[in-house]
Amino acid sequence: MRSVDNPVHQSDLVDTLSSIRQWLDDSQIAARGFRATRNAAGVVTLHAEFDDESEAVIFSERFRAA
């Protein structure tokens, strides 16, 4: 299993989550787990877990600058 962390500013969170959901659906990729944490500066880190290493890499590359 591979985890991918993507930082997102809180003001972009809704749009980013929507984009991620759409991309996962379109790509027919399922995240094993998904959670979010927020720091005091308003940066939310999205933690996604994948069973397939290649899917994790593709996800990381696609949403690296989220």
Side-chain angles (χ1 to χ4, degrees), residues 2 23 29 50-61:
R2 165 108 190 263
W23 182 83
I29 293 175
F50 297 88
D51 287 328
D52 186 297
E53 177 80 19
S54 64
E55 291 176 352
V57 170
I58 293 167
F59 177 86
S60 178
E61 290 171 355

Side-chain angles (χ1 to χ4, degrees), residues 2-3 21 24 29 32 34 37 45-46 50 53-55 60:
R2 165 108 190 263
S3 294
R21 178 78 268 153
L24 288 170
I29 293 175
R32 183 187 224 309
F34 200 83
T37 58
T45 300
L46 303 174
F50 297 88
E53 177 80 19
S54 64
E55 291 176 352
S60 178

Side-chain angles (χ1 to χ4, degrees), residues 15-51:
D15 289 339
T16 300
L17 287 173
S18 178
S19 294
I20 288 172
R21 178 78 268 153
Q22 185 67 47
W23 182 83
L24 288 170
D25 289 347
D26 291 347
S27 301
Q28 298 182 341
I29 293 175
R32 183 187 224 309
F34 200 83
R35 64 184 171 88
T37 58
R38 182 174 59 91
N39 69 17
V43 175
V44 177
T45 300
L46 303 174
H47 309 274
E49 295 179 351
F50 297 88
D51 287 328

